[in-house]
Amino acid sequence: EVQLMESGGGLVQPGGSLRLSCAASGYTFSTYEMNWVRQAPGKGLEWVSHISSASRTIYYADSVKGRFTISRDNADNSLFLQMNSLRVEDTAIYFCVRVSGSGRHIDYWGQGTLVTVSS
Amino acid sequence: EIQMTQSPSSLSASVGDRVTITCRASQDVSIWLAWYQQKAGKAPKLLIYAVSSLQSGVPSRFSGGGSGTDFTLTISNLQPEDFATYYCQQANSFPRTFGQGTKVEIK
């Protein structure tokens, strides 16, 4: 069974940093692309970042470019999101998601971790 | 960036109704269009991928259609467990983008 478990969320002041982690299990992590998707309280879904299976290709939403860094450790079945220079508008639930091996859609979602940026 | 626009933003329907949600892309997204269902307090769940392919385990009352820039999600014979928010997403190009969501409520 595919499982994605996020951790690392919490309360941080504006301008601060936070590192999210996602532990993957139940499949061969190293062969799948991964993304982060976020959802602000009461709002819709916003795609944040993409990383290819071997980390060769990385993309970011304009809203986080230059502040967030996605990475992965295939030996440890883990996905990361380093978030720097956090803003109030980064407050959201952050979902770790797997991109399907047979297409470009998201086929599995973690339960999410809440990041609150507030003074 | 490809903009995804869903309509309506919300709708009220009764159990047994047939419901159609529309998603329009600002550019051609080819076959790279998926639909997700999200219930309150839960992570989204994949329903439809590649415009019209039903994800394993999803009831056949859900169907997707369309092409190019105009797509639909249809729920036939609406069930109580279908009351949720639905999102389309394009995966034709980066940045990936979602529609703003359509909330299906009980009439």
Side-chain angles (χ1 to χ4, degrees):
Chain A
E1 179 193 5
V2 172
Q3 291 196 340
L4 301 169
M5 187 169 299
E6 304 92 339
S7 61
L11 175 63
V12 61
Q13 292 188 335
S17 298
L18 216 52
R19 188 190 196 213
L20 305 184
S21 299
C22 171
S25 61
Y27 71 102
T28 306
F29 178 75
S30 62
T31 63
Y32 285 82
E33 299 176 328
M34 299 292 292
N35 287 186
W36 288 96
V37 174
R38 69 184 181 182
Q39 186 169 37
K43 303 297 185 182
L45 301 170
E46 180 187 15
W47 175 84
V48 172
S49 185
H50 168 99
I51 187 167
S52 63
S53 58
S55 304
R56 292 194 184 97
T57 304
I58 288 174
Y59 295 97
Y60 297 99
D62 284 347
S63 57
V64 306
K65 199 173 296 183
R67 301 186 298 121
F68 289 12
T69 302
I70 191 171
S71 62
R72 64 190 295 161
D73 181 344
N74 285 344
D76 199 34
N77 296 332
S78 295
L79 177 71
F80 305 101
L81 187 68
Q82 177 66 43
M83 304 185 295
N84 298 332
S85 303
L86 281 161
R87 305 168 180 168
V88 171
E89 56 265 34
D90 294 319
T91 295
I93 296 172
Y94 285 73
F95 295 101
C96 165
V97 302
R98 189 183 87 166
V99 178
S100 169
S102 61
R104 301 179 184 177
H105 53 279
I106 296 166
D107 60 357
Y108 284 94
W109 298 68
Q111 286 307 298
T113 187
L114 176 62
V115 172
T116 302
V117 185
S118 174
S119 54
Chain B
E1 174 175 321
I2 298 176
Q3 308 294 327
M4 306 299 290
T5 304
Q6 288 180 232
S7 61
S9 295
S10 65
L11 65 90
S12 296
S14 301
V15 172
D17 282 355
R18 180 184 179 91
V19 166
T20 297
I21 299 168
T22 297
C23 178
R24 174 164 288 175
S26 60
Q27 302 173 37
D28 189 337
V29 299
S30 185
I31 65 166
W32 306 111
L33 191 285
W35 290 94
Y36 303 91
Q37 176 195 64
Q38 187 179 33
K39 296 182 179 179
K42 301 291 187 181
K45 168 189 166 184
L46 175 66
L47 296 176
I48 301 282
Y49 63 94
V51 179
S52 59
S53 295
L54 192 68
Q55 173 68 352
S56 176
V58 174
S60 59
R61 64 180 178 273
F62 290 92
S63 62
S67 64
T69 60
D70 293 299
F71 304 92
T72 57
L73 172 70
T74 298
I75 312 170
S76 59
N77 189 21
L78 196 68
Q79 295 298 297
E81 60 267 31
D82 301 335
F83 292 95
T85 300
Y86 295 84
Y87 296 91
C88 62
Q89 186 212 13
Q90 67 82 18
N92 184 68
S93 63
F94 288 99
R96 305 297 198 226
T97 43
F98 290 90
Q100 81 277 17
T102 296
K103 188 172 184 178
V104 177
E105 299 176 301
I106 301 172
K107 183 183 285 185

